[in-house]
Amino acid sequence: MANRRNYLFTSESVSEGHPDKVCDRISDAVVDLYMAADPHSRVAIETLVTTNRIVMAGEVRGPESVTAALIEDAARRAVREIGYEQKGFHWKNCEFQFYVHEQSADIAMGVDAHAESEKDEGAGDQGIMFGYACRETEPLMPAPIYYAHRILHEMAKARHTGRAPELGPDAKSQVTLRFEDGKPAKATAIDWWHHLGHYQRRNLGLRAQKTLSVERFLRDKQYTFTMFSRKGMPHRRERGHFLVRRCSERECL
């Protein structure tokens, strides 16, 4: 792989309204609560969201001032800021279940560093990730993931500012770029899915179609390729109320 200079690379991004990101947003809000009250808090809480329900479970070690009521308020506020105000998931009336208790003394012993040691063993969880900075884009992000993020960022901006109220919070994008001589040269496939707001499911008008044209968001002065052609219009997925847009290599310029 190190010697390959011509290849395809695909990256996927999900929006702030995707269930995974909703859980992340809620979890971050809870960690912020504890860290603001006591920087030495230990927070090991799992968050789950499903139809009109938020479930939190785990254990913590932190100040008693961070109550279950405060945590619930932070969770609902996070969902509201994302924009969920629909029948299937509404920040105000979704059910909130809270199963959090004090951290086990045995676990505390395993994750705390000894007083004479400078190491901090953290929460004990492990993960495998990869990432790197590069000159493919101005933010020093690899081009495929940069454009996948950018699609959803622009769509979220249009939704939050009211330019595209017909869009729901949940969306996903996927970008495949062809690299030639180790540099991005052409988009071979771009897909994005966006959930429709409940009041626009039956009638997606021309204004929505124009709003959903993301061609202008994907131009970059750094490259000569254009991500989207003008061909094709948004259409519904076979199941559910999702818009699907696909750009194949033939359509991409």
Side-chain angles (χ1 to χ4, degrees), residues 165-167 196-205 207-208 236:
E166 60 279 347
L167 297 180
L196 292 174
H198 65 281
Y199 58 89
Q200 283 287 344
R201 288 177 178 173
R202 295 185 178 179
N203 182 23
L204 181 64
R207 188 182 72 81
R236 292 191 184 191

Side-chain angles (χ1 to χ4, degrees), residues 156-167:
K157 186 189 300 183
R159 181 172 60 84
H160 282 296
T161 58
R163 289 190 292 119
E166 60 279 347
L167 297 180

Side-chain angles (χ1 to χ4, degrees), residues 6-34:
N6 302 320
Y7 55 90
L8 300 178
F9 198 99
T10 300
S11 290
E12 181 181 274
S13 181
V14 295
S15 70
E16 61 182 341
H18 188 278
D20 291 347
K21 287 291 182 69
V22 174
C23 290
D24 289 343
R25 180 78 170 267
I26 293 172
S27 297
D28 287 346
V30 173
V31 171
D32 287 346
L33 276 179
Y34 276 99

Side-chain angles (χ1 to χ4, degrees), residues 174-190:
Q174 188 178 83
V175 173
T176 300
L177 298 187
R178 180 185 299 280
F179 283 72
E180 297 176 0
D181 195 25
K183 298 180 180 179
K186 190 175 186 180
T188 63
I190 299 174

Side-chain angles (χ1 to χ4, degrees), residues 14-86:
V14 295
S15 70
E16 61 182 341
H18 188 278
D20 291 347
K21 287 291 182 69
V22 174
C23 290
D24 289 343
R25 180 78 170 267
I26 293 172
S27 297
D28 287 346
V30 173
V31 171
D32 287 346
L33 276 179
Y34 276 99
M35 291 296 102
D38 179 1
H40 300 290
S41 296
R42 298 284 185 174
V43 185
I45 298 178
E46 295 287 347
T47 303
L48 177 151
V49 296
T50 185
T51 304
N52 224 31
R53 180 171 298 175
I54 302 170
V55 181
M56 303 191 74
E59 54 183 39
V60 298
R61 186 176 67 199
E64 294 182 358
S65 60
V66 181
T67 63
L70 283 178
I71 292 175
E72 178 177 355
D73 181 67
R76 293 186 185 278
R77 184 166 60 251
V79 175
R80 181 184 64 195
E81 291 173 355
I82 291 171
Y84 273 113
E85 295 184 334
Q86 55 197 52

Side-chain angles (χ1 to χ4, degrees), residues 112-124:
D112 285 344
H114 294 292
E116 64 273 12
S117 173
E118 295 182 357
K119 71 176 183 177
D120 185 351
E121 298 181 0

Side-chain angles (χ1 to χ4, degrees), residues 59 61 102-112 121:
E59 54 183 39
R61 186 176 67 199
E102 186 177 355
Q103 184 184 53
S104 161
D106 293 329
I107 292 179
M109 183 185 303
V111 299
D112 285 344
E121 298 181 0

